[in-house]
Amino acid sequence: MSAQIKVAVLGAAGRMGAEAVKAVSEASDMELVASLGRGDDLAQILEAGATHVVDLSVPAATEANVRFAVENGLHAVVGTTGWDDDRRAELDSLLKGHPEVGVLIAPNFALGSVLASAFAATAAKYFESVEIIELHHPNKVDAPSGTAVRTAELVAKSREDAGVPASPDATETQLDGARGSVVDGIHVHSVRLRGLVAHQEVLLGGPGEQLTLRHDSFDRASFMPGVLLGLRTVACRPGLTYGLDGYLELGQ
Amino acid sequence: MSAQIKVAVLGAAGRMGAEAVKAVSEASDMELVASLGRGDDLAQILEAGATHVVDLSVPAATEANVRFAVENGLHAVVGTTGWDDDRRAELDSLLKGHPEVGVLIAPNFALGSVLASAFAATAAKYFESVEIIELHHPNKVDAPSGTAVRTAELVAKSREDAGVPASPDATETQLDGARGSVVDGIHVHSVRLRGLVAHQEVLLGGPGEQLTLRHDSFDRASFMPGVLLGLRTVACRPGLTYGLDGYLELGQ
Amino acid sequence: MSAQIKVAVLGAAGRMGAEAVKAVSEASDMELVASLGRGDDLAQILEAGATHVVDLSVPAATEANVRFAVENGLHAVVGTTGWDDDRRAELDSLLKGHPEVGVLIAPNFALGSVLASAFAATAAKYFESVEIIELHHPNKVDAPSGTAVRTAELVAKSREDAGVPASPDATETQLDGARGSVVDGIHVHSVRLRGLVAHQEVLLGGPGEQLTLRHDSFDRASFMPGVLLGLRTVACRPGLTYGLDGYLELGQ
Amino acid sequence: MSAQIKVAVLGAAGRMGAEAVKAVSEASDMELVASLGRGDDLAQILEAGATHVVDLSVPAATEANVRFAVENGLHAVVGTTGWDDDRRAELDSLLKGHPEVGVLIAPNFALGSVLASAFAATAAKYFESVEIIELHHPNKVDAPSGTAVRTAELVAKSREDAGVPASPDATETQLDGARGSVVDGIHVHSVRLRGLVAHQEVLLGGPGEQLTLRHDSFDRASFMPGVLLGLRTVACRPGLTYGLDGYLELGQ
């Protein structure tokens, strides 16, 4: 049997952090050795003997947290937002000096959502038509969702690379907005409904057939299998990986 | 055993008419006694001994066809479009002089579609949120579909009568069209996809729950059970009925 | 503006009771005047000036609770199980002596679920085929769910009353269980999947068309709109009503 | 612009063959040079100058057809059933002597169905639970469908290889058949409904999330994009390929 993975959770007092504390504690191949909140001394991570760090803190703190981990030879799994191109380039440089350390930064840890986007991109070049419907609770302030926009971009790129023309559409007269928004040529529809959480459907159509890829996110517990997968894999992937799909085996 | 219903089909050479000829021929309680196309002499209907007429002709012919049926004491089931308020008012007057004759004019004979619209109107007053998605083949020139617009109108009226406020929606920023078109305050989204025929979903949401009413129309054969139901019922419903829902038992 | 409905919640310490306390407190047309748990003196209800009682206690307590309410002229909305035919007959007798009092006993307060069952029964007589799929979390110990069994019974009765034959099925060879369980002639399939809560689909099929009625229950909050509807209606419905559908307007 | 692909269709009088004749004729990068039915002389293929053969004949004829193609240096795309292990081994030997010739034998040409099965196998190792629902017209004599059985086998193998335990299931009491059939440990449910053609859903569930992969086959036209893809690719894939998935780019 392999040794336990010794994990420190940063941002442990937040909602995602609290879920991660619970998930790591319950995983039979992991040991939770430290839980830190805002203002706690990072030195506690080393004293506790952690080999891995999960960072679910805030944009203002995440860069210092990850730098501390890397400089001390700890692997890091990062779910905090705010890692733009500049920050990632700097981290890349830092990691060159620590070639044995792995860091995963993932904008989305829901395995089903990451898989659905990857499958959509793969399938999109084989169908004449593709559209996206995303459905969320009615308190959401933006439309379409960030995930739907990213999925549309992936789908559009896949079709462009394969030379697939635009989806056919004979619409001549429409009520304003009937055909949805358009992201890189892909129609994206946004539904807002009380009772829902976060859901997405990619609809692909060809002569006589339809393929539908639907993901339902009911609860933020859905992010934890992705976080655990990250922790189990990060030590074998030195350097910086951006996006959980980099850790998934997507071929057959 | 009851006597056979003796049916004449008008517009028998059209696509819907041909389906009706087939459906009436196969119904064990009916007898197809005449099939007329454009220019055929209506007197053939009487010679053939018809008691019922199905009119699936064209807007230019339907009024004369139905007038002929009523004046000769025949019941009529009508699927042809073009029956605006004026025409229906005239027909109503004519029927006053023939109090034993029944006429059904139905803009939609698909039982599932008629039921789905009726259920949507019934349910809409019990949920905070309601939106409609219609999905069709990409050769359709208008959006949203006529059925979706009528469903939205029914849903909106039901909510207004019950004093239900607008569906909640916190959207502040959106890409143009993301939230769909708006019909009487109801959001309606139109998807166009190769491989589809005609499909509609009414999504209703309340705290912690969702009710979805979906209708799929794969083939114009879907209109025939409604036409047969009309033929079996019209003799017991003297006067003019508009809409197949008038013949359905929608309560419990 | 009408007077506030003054509500006492019994079984307030249970999970459903706690939801009811919250829902009544937040309803602008209601006032929560008392919350009682196990062993609390029922006299508090009267002292607090309640006009309505919500009973979400336990089978051993519910009969005494409702009797107390009726004898003191309070209307009652009851979600506790255990009301078999004998208990309901006794309650009926008691209510004869209090002709102004209304009691609603409902085995299911989720509006969407109650509507879906009612719609299924209405639609079932218009389609050749009907089957039911219910989907739940994998900790459920019985299959099919009670709701699916009741829906199948309603559907079967509707078809029998209308003289509709059995759904067509040419299956000659099957793996054991492939075609699901059979309740009163209706096929019922049970799916168990991590991440789900409680979901049901009634599938109705005819030539060239399908009607799907789907209900998703994500959270026990879904029962509260039904409880509030019960409280708003019960005073206008003297005597005993069994099933929330009795309070819904299901026709058009 | 590349040269036209010169195609001979064998089994052209059958329903699938007729669709292929139509699809090849309409493809701008192909030329239909011959259409052969039962008993026609295969020499016509060579006289017509074909470089590619599509075999959609019958199990009794397909082996001789493909042998003729290979021996004459023509590439072959084969949709006829009956290619068991022995036949495929013999063909493999034959192809060794014709190293420039490609043959594709595919039990299923619907791109969406092939993709859905591949995606299901990829995703199955990342989720706690997986079940399959297949839905067909009520004239089908076997249950579950062959496609559902194959999908279940692929899914089961993927989970076994990854060391994923059985889907959780606490069912203690059930009506006979409620939990469906079981193929290699995967639950498979079979629905039969008038109006349907051929449909399949793979449901994958983890904590707080669900991924659904649905394929709808409305019409045998759905096989033609796969046949055309086969024709466009087979010349670049010398030797025998079994299964259209071998021609798809399934990774990212």
Side-chain angles (χ1 to χ4, degrees), chain D residues 30-124:
Chain D
M30 299 186 188
E31 188 184 344
L32 180 74
V33 297
S35 302
L36 279 71
R38 192 168 302 195
D40 284 346
D41 185 355
L42 295 175
Q44 291 177 35
I45 301 171
L46 304 179
E47 288 154 20
T51 55
H52 290 62
V53 159
V54 176
D55 183 76
L56 298 164
S57 60
V58 293
T62 186
E63 201 169 10
N65 289 346
V66 175
R67 173 173 293 273
F68 180 88
V70 173
E71 289 176 343
N72 287 283
L74 308 185
H75 308 291
V77 170
V78 183
T80 318
T81 57
W83 285 90
D84 57 25
D85 288 353
D86 285 354
R87 283 186 164 191
R88 279 148 62 187
E90 267 183 65
L91 178 57
D92 232 16
S93 301
L94 179 65
L95 281 162
K96 293 228 156 55
H98 301 269
E100 78 295 353
V101 175
V103 176
L104 168 68
I105 300 180
N108 187 347
F109 275 108
L111 285 169
S113 176
V114 172
L115 287 169
S117 292
F119 294 159
T122 296

Side-chain angles (χ1 to χ4, degrees), chain B residues 55-72:
Chain B
D55 183 77
L56 297 164
S57 60
V58 292
T62 186
E63 199 169 12
N65 288 347
V66 175
R67 173 172 293 274
F68 180 87
V70 172
E71 288 176 344
N72 287 284

Side-chain angles (χ1 to χ4, degrees), chain D residues 192-215:
Chain D
R192 297 293 172 260
L193 213 71
R194 179 70 70 216
L196 294 186
V197 183
H199 315 258
Q200 182 171 302
E201 281 186 359
V202 181
L203 308 171
L204 302 122
E209 70 168 338
Q210 183 179 5
L211 177 66
T212 306
L213 308 170
R214 178 174 175 118
H215 181 252

Side-chain angles (χ1 to χ4, degrees), chain A residues 118-191:
Chain A
F119 294 160
T122 296
K125 60 179 168 288
Y126 296 113
F127 288 87
E128 264 189 67
S129 300
V130 54
E131 300 206 3
I132 297 172
I133 304 173
E134 54 92 349
L135 312 95
H136 283 80
H137 58 84
N139 301 328
K140 189 168 176 58
V141 295
D142 55 324
S145 67
T147 300
V149 170
R150 276 191 300 274
T151 306
E153 290 168 350
L154 287 171
V155 159
K157 180 161 189 332
S158 159
R159 289 166 73 87
E160 194 193 324
D161 290 351
V164 177
S167 300
D169 183 358
T171 308
E172 287 170 11
T173 61
Q174 63 167 309
L175 283 186
D176 245 29
R179 294 284 291 114
S181 63
V182 182
V183 176
D184 288 3
I186 307 298
H187 289 258
V188 181
H189 310 267
S190 300
V191 174

Side-chain angles (χ1 to χ4, degrees), chain B residues 208-209 212 214-215 218 249, chain C residues 126 208-209 212 214-215 218:
Chain B
E209 69 168 339
T212 307
R214 178 173 176 119
H215 180 253
F218 302 119
E249 295 162 33
Chain C
Y126 296 112
E209 69 168 339
T212 305
R214 179 176 175 118
H215 181 253
F218 301 119

Side-chain angles (χ1 to χ4, degrees), chain A residues 109-113 115-123 125-127 154 206-223 225 229 245-252, chain D residues 109-113 115-123 125-127 154 206-223 225 229 245-252:
Chain A
F109 275 108
L111 286 169
S113 175
L115 288 167
S117 292
F119 294 160
T122 296
K125 60 179 168 288
Y126 296 113
F127 288 87
L154 287 171
E209 69 168 339
Q210 183 180 6
L211 177 65
T212 307
L213 307 170
R214 179 175 174 117
H215 181 252
D216 296 279
S217 191
F218 302 119
D219 191 307
R220 75 175 63 85
S222 67
F223 297 114
L229 176 71
D245 46 329
Y247 281 22
L248 301 180
E249 296 162 31
L250 291 172
Q252 281 190 291
Chain D
F109 275 108
L111 285 169
S113 176
L115 287 169
S117 292
F119 294 159
T122 296
K125 58 179 172 289
Y126 296 113
F127 288 87
L154 287 171
E209 70 168 338
Q210 183 179 5
L211 177 66
T212 306
L213 308 170
R214 178 174 175 118
H215 181 252
D216 296 278
S217 191
F218 302 120
D219 191 307
R220 76 175 65 82
S222 67
F223 297 113
L229 177 70
D245 45 329
Y247 280 23
L248 301 180
E249 295 162 32
L250 291 171
Q252 280 189 293

Side-chain angles (χ1 to χ4, degrees), chain B residues 111-112 119 122 126-127 207-219 221-222 245 248-252, chain C residues 111-112 115 119 122 126-127 207-219 221-222 245 248-252:
Chain B
L111 286 170
F119 294 160
T122 297
Y126 297 114
F127 287 87
E209 69 168 339
Q210 182 180 6
L211 178 65
T212 307
L213 309 169
R214 178 173 176 119
H215 180 253
D216 295 280
S217 192
F218 302 119
D219 192 309
S222 67
D245 46 328
L248 301 180
E249 295 162 33
L250 290 171
Q252 281 190 291
Chain C
L111 285 168
L115 287 167
F119 294 160
T122 296
Y126 296 112
F127 288 87
E209 69 168 339
Q210 182 180 6
L211 177 65
T212 305
L213 308 170
R214 179 176 175 118
H215 181 253
D216 295 279
S217 190
F218 301 119
D219 191 308
S222 66
D245 46 330
L248 301 180
E249 295 162 33
L250 291 172
Q252 280 191 290

